[in-house]
Amino acid sequence: MSPSTPTRPRQVTLAAWLIMAGSAIVVGMVFDRIGALHTLETRESVERFLAEPPGADLGIGVDGAITALRVVSMVAAGCATAAAILGYQVLRRSRSARLALTVLAVPLFLSGMVTGGFVSSVVAASAVMLWLQPSRSWFEGNAPAVPAPPAARPVAPPVAPPAAPSSSESPAQHPPAHQPWTQQPWTQQPVAGPPTRSAADRPRPVVAACALTWLSSGLVALGLLLTAVVLAVDPDPLLDEVHRQRPDLTEQGVSDGMLIGVSLAMSAVIVLWCVAAGVLAALVYRRVGWARVVLLVSAGVSAALCLVGLVAGGFLLVVPLVAAVGTVLLLVRPDAAPWFQSRPPLT
């Protein structure tokens, strides 16, 4: 670190590592929680909770409570994954990552109560630490810089006094020992500025991450659009398969119309997410720094949700999971991050 660069306070380093480690623990606890939702022990504990206040006042059944636990757990996993990625960006002095962590602290704390309230509370408290002194001054660039060590002054050798000119010599015969040198205007050379970086200078990991995002987002969006068309034209085969896997849906009051409506709404949300990811990848390709952070968060949350769905039995989620993990790994490479910080965006 150069002498003019403010040193990172230990408080920031501690908070960032607590956020990353705590988020990883929350994700692991979410997987354990989701894997145990269909066990007899979990069902009995839910029944005991719903038999007494305040659970009895909720007005939902056991299956509805288990579904709510699954949704809340997935939200906690997504928030924790995003917080882990943003914690790494905080170490690189990203103000947008600090702001995003503050926003995520609230849903992470609330949803984390399902899996482990203490760990999610530590992550939320660590996000608050980033707004206290001296962390706040470091993000604003006002932290004291490390002073450079004083350079030792060289000792000049003693200089003999000049001899007095004789009376026979005129002062014009002895020119001054030092004449100031002036550079002529026509001899000045233009100062060469920093070389401009063209599109060919894009790091290969950035190009690969953008291509991977475009490919995976396009495939997922196309698959969901085809599924929506099938549901709108001939929904009977898909509904028969759903009822074969979950024969208790009718007893829970879930009609076919409600199931089709929820499926179409979820498909629309995920398609919009895919479109947004493609736009973010285009901005990353054009060297927009904040888009890289947002795309990292989007890919991390997508990877967490795909992993949760994979545990629940959705084997088709392997492809978007691999794409999301690959995008995150490519964008956090050491040769990718400096490219966004050294120069303004490409035109």
Side-chain angles (χ1 to χ4, degrees):
M1 186 174 291
S2 60
S4 59
T5 303
T7 57
R8 184 173 63 212
R10 295 181 179 178
Q11 181 179 351
V12 175
T13 305
L14 176 62
W17 280 106
L18 284 176
I19 289 171
M20 290 186 288
S23 299
I25 294 174
V26 170
V27 173
M29 296 175 69
V30 165
F31 292 151
D32 181 69
R33 171 68 68 179
I34 291 179
L37 284 179
H38 297 287
T39 60
L40 181 60
E41 180 181 359
T42 302
R43 195 173 188 88
E44 291 177 352
S45 62
V46 172
E47 290 176 353
R48 287 194 300 267
F49 174 76
L50 296 177
E52 302 175 357
D57 300 332
L58 297 178
I60 59 177
V62 177
D63 294 327
I66 292 177
T67 302
L69 286 175
R70 182 183 297 108
V71 173
V72 174
S73 299
M74 294 179 66
V75 171
C79 293
T81 306
I85 297 173
L86 293 172
Y88 175 78
Q89 296 297 319
V90 162
L91 291 176
R92 307 182 66 88
R93 202 177 174 188
S94 174
R95 297 183 182 179
S96 57
R98 180 180 63 158
L99 180 60
L101 270 174
T102 307
V103 175
L104 282 176
V106 177
L108 178 59
F109 173 74
L110 296 177
S111 60
M113 299 297 292
V114 178
T115 57
F118 175 75
V119 181
S120 59
S121 301
V122 170
V123 176
S126 301
V128 175
M129 288 173 57
L130 298 175
W131 294 91
L132 305 178
Q133 294 291 359
S135 303
R136 184 173 57 188
S137 298
W138 182 70
F139 281 101
E140 295 174 356
N142 299 327
V146 179
R153 292 187 176 182
V155 180
V159 180
S166 61
S167 59
S168 61
E169 296 178 350
S170 61
Q173 296 177 353
H174 296 275
H178 174 71
Q179 294 182 355
W181 177 80
T182 58
Q183 187 180 18
Q184 301 298 328
W186 55 82
T187 62
Q188 295 179 356
Q189 300 294 330
V191 179
T196 58
R197 305 189 66 171
S198 61
D201 296 327
R202 290 186 179 92
R204 291 183 179 179
V206 175
V207 178
C210 295
L212 195 58
T213 301
W214 290 327
L215 179 62
S216 60
S217 300
L219 290 176
V220 172
L222 179 61
L224 289 175
L225 288 176
L226 292 177
T227 304
V229 171
V230 171
L231 283 176
V233 175
D234 187 15
D236 293 335
L238 293 178
L239 291 176
D240 293 340
E241 179 65 21
V242 171
H243 287 300
R244 186 183 67 81
Q245 296 181 0
R246 295 291 304 274
D248 56 341
L249 288 179
T250 305
E251 299 176 357
Q252 297 178 10
V254 179
S255 61
D256 292 345
M258 182 187 301
L259 189 60
I260 294 175
V262 172
S263 300
L264 292 177
M266 292 181 61
S267 299
V269 171
I270 298 177
V271 168
L272 291 178
W273 190 351
C274 292
V275 173
V279 174
L280 287 173
L283 294 176
V284 169
Y285 191 79
R286 294 184 60 83
R287 210 173 181 190
V288 179
W290 63 264
R292 170 178 170 268
V293 177
V294 179
L295 184 59
L296 276 171
V297 173
S298 174
V301 174
S302 176
L305 296 180
C306 290
L307 190 56
V308 171
L310 186 63
V311 173
F315 299 103
L316 294 178
L317 297 175
V318 173
V319 176
L321 173 62
V322 173
V325 172
T327 301
V328 173
L329 294 179
L330 289 170
L331 289 180
V332 298
R333 283 175 58 93
D335 52 345
W339 184 69
F340 292 92
Q341 302 172 358
S342 58
R343 295 290 189 276
L346 294 173
T347 57

